[in-house]
Amino acid sequence: MNKKRIEKLRHLMEKNQVDAFLISKPENVRYLSGFTGGSDACLLISAQENYLFTDSRYREQVKRECSGWQVLEERPPGFEKLQEASRAYKRIGVESHYITYQLFLDLEQKLGSKIVGLSGLVEELRICKDTSELNCLRQAAQIGDAVFSDIASVLKAGQSEIQVANQIGYLLKEKGCSKEGFDTIVVSAENAALPHGQPGSRIIETGDMVTMDFGGFFQGYTGDMTRTVVVNLADSIFRDRYLKVLEAQQTGVAMVKAGVRGQEIDQAVRNCLKKYDLDQYFLHSTGHGLGLEIHEQPRLSPLSEDVLAENMVITIEPGVYIPGWGGIRIEDSVIVKRDGCEVLTHSDRNLKIV
Ligand code: ZN
Ligand code: ZN
């Protein structure tokens, strides 16, 4: 049990005037309890009590992973033991951004308490990372770098996108990740114009640009990095555009420090691309928070109200996507510091011919 995190959560619960809070989103369950059993568990936390509900398949695992919890064997969403445990609570918070409407109705009917939708409470606690989390994210990034180095040395014309993606997935695990943090993106030539394209059967040819976006979970925390390389030779258009995207990306990284608004960084990155008339091809936001989930707060987007704070972990990932031509994205993960940032992903950002 992470007492500090639970204390902070209790503070937020008090502010939101609930007697107890039912947590079912797997990343939040893990964050508070250490339990890795995913969606087969939920927590009920009140001012005094900490209950963990899961079923008998996890009897041993829960002993190993979670001390300090009153474990009740009931597979969520079972209600008998939950009813019992929550009898004294008049107002129970639920994760309205996560639970189904059906579960909400069932809880209302079966618990006899007022069910209060609360959105993003635990996520709020998760924005700034503690030392152990930062170490996991450093490690995840280091594995990503090692994978990129390996893949860059074997990537060649004649391989399909899906073959390269499979190799990346394999290497992530071989180097210590439990699984991919998200579906690996490998897109080549004109397919690189799809920011979130799926790797397909297209065979990579000489002169193709290849964008690879990947990351793996290390002890629950995912890495996230993107590099666009070019196979055998780079033409002048690619060289030119690559340098412009790199300039935008480096502009973004250089601005990162506590107190800066996500929106300001996004704007600066966009302005940099605008100088070259490339901003119209930048189809997503500049970056996002990273942690137990691949996309977390804060957001670095045109509409973001988020202000960076120390020990947030974010990505800076501008890209251009030009239909019929292709695309380029460069993404690094960084830790926000008081006066700057610590870049976690160290793979070379200079134009790379493989
Ligand atoms: Zn990415
Ligand atoms: Zn990303």
Side-chain angles (χ1 to χ4, degrees):
M1 156 163 354
N2 194 308
K3 284 192 177 142
K4 242 191 207 162
R5 295 175 186 173
I6 291 181
E7 275 323 302
K8 284 187 191 162
L9 180 66
R10 287 197 167 118
H11 193 72
L12 292 180
M13 285 162 53
E14 213 176 285
K15 252 175 53 185
N16 285 280
Q17 298 173 322
V18 291
D19 308 308
F21 190 21
L22 187 68
I23 292 138
S24 44
K25 186 171 163 181
E27 292 84 1
N28 293 342
V29 168
R30 179 172 184 154
Y31 183 74
L32 296 166
S33 72
F35 186 63
T36 61
S39 53
D40 292 321
C42 68
L43 309 174
L44 183 73
I45 297 176
S46 70
Q48 258 89 43
E49 311 286 348
N50 304 297
Y51 294 103
L52 190 154
F53 298 85
T54 189
D55 66 76
S56 51
R57 291 174 300 165
Y58 295 96
R59 194 174 290 166
E60 194 53 34
Q61 186 177 330
V62 90
K63 269 190 225 159
R64 290 184 192 185
E65 293 178 344
C66 320
S67 60
W69 291 82
Q70 300 180 58
V71 178
L72 296 175
E73 274 186 15
E74 178 168 77
R75 189 179 186 184
F79 294 101
E80 220 169 278
K81 291 183 177 166
L82 182 61
Q83 266 172 336
E84 186 104 342
S86 60
R87 202 179 288 158
Y89 310 131
K90 288 199 178 75
R91 290 168 58 86
I92 300 179
V94 294
E95 298 188 288
S96 51
H97 57 302
Y98 181 76
I99 69 165
T100 59
Y101 185 56
Q102 186 59 53
L103 180 57
F104 175 82
L105 294 176
D106 289 345
L107 289 168
E108 259 195 336
Q109 195 214 343
K110 296 196 163 128
L111 298 192
S113 319
K114 169 85 182 152
I115 305 299
V116 183
L118 298 175
S119 178
L121 248 59
V122 183
E123 283 80 355
E124 201 178 313
L125 301 178
R126 283 172 35 198
I127 303 181
C128 293
K129 273 66 183 173
D130 64 24
T131 311
S132 67
E133 295 182 288
L134 293 176
N135 284 334
C136 291
L137 286 158
R138 280 193 189 97
Q139 191 65 34
Q142 213 175 320
I143 293 172
D145 281 335
V147 169
F148 178 72
S149 158
D150 279 13
I151 211 80
S153 66
V154 296
L155 176 60
K156 55 177 188 293
Q159 295 169 329
S160 71
E161 294 170 353
I162 197 111
Q163 273 174 331
V164 177
N166 287 343
Q167 274 177 300
I168 290 174
Y170 174 79
L171 286 167
L172 283 167
K173 285 187 199 164
E174 197 195 47
K175 292 177 191 300
C177 290
S178 58
K179 59 176 178 177
E180 290 170 82
F182 53 95
D183 290 338
T184 294
I185 296 171
V186 175
V187 279
S188 61
E190 55 272 24
N191 290 350
L194 283 65
H196 269 202
Q198 275 190 343
S201 55
R202 187 183 182 283
I203 302 295
I204 296 165
E205 294 167 18
T206 283
D208 281 355
M209 65 199 93
V210 182
T211 295
M212 294 171 279
D213 186 348
F214 60 93
F217 282 114
F218 181 79
Q219 291 177 8
Y221 289 81
T222 184
D224 187 12
M225 65 177 282
T226 308
R227 291 291 183 270
T228 300
V229 300
V230 62
V231 179
N232 295 332
L233 52 98
D235 66 21
S236 58
I237 297 176
F238 180 83
R239 283 174 190 275
D240 178 64
R241 287 176 178 159
Y242 188 91
L243 291 176
K244 288 165 180 167
V245 174
L246 181 59
E247 186 188 326
Q249 201 260 355
Q250 292 293 290
T251 301
V253 172
M255 285 181 70
V256 176
K257 64 173 184 177
V260 177
R261 287 181 307 139
Q263 194 185 54
E264 286 174 63
I265 297 175
D266 182 82
Q267 195 56 57
V269 167
R270 247 165 251 283
N271 286 344
C272 183
L273 291 172
K274 196 173 180 165
K275 282 194 301 194
Y276 306 117
D277 212 20
L278 286 172
D279 57 315
Q280 58 184 309
Y281 303 115
F282 180 22
L283 305 177
H284 49 78
S285 57
T286 292
H288 55 86
L290 187 66
L292 289 166
E293 287 174 274
I294 175 64
H295 295 129
E296 310 190 342
Q297 290 163 286
R299 305 286 167 170
L300 285 72
S301 69
L303 298 174
S304 171
E305 302 277 314
D306 297 335
V307 178
L308 299 187
E310 223 177 332
N311 296 331
M312 288 181 177
V313 176
I314 58 169
T315 67
I316 303 288
E317 52 176 306
V320 295
Y321 310 93
I322 302 175
W325 178 71
I328 297 162
R329 175 163 71 254
I330 304 166
E331 173 180 31
D332 284 307
S333 303
V334 311
I335 303 176
V336 179
K337 297 285 183 191
R338 197 158 9 128
D339 301 307
C341 70
E342 174 188 336
V343 180
L344 298 181
T345 36
H346 299 292
S347 298
D348 192 8
R349 285 160 213 91
N350 294 310
L351 190 146
K352 193 171 184 72
I353 299 175
V354 298

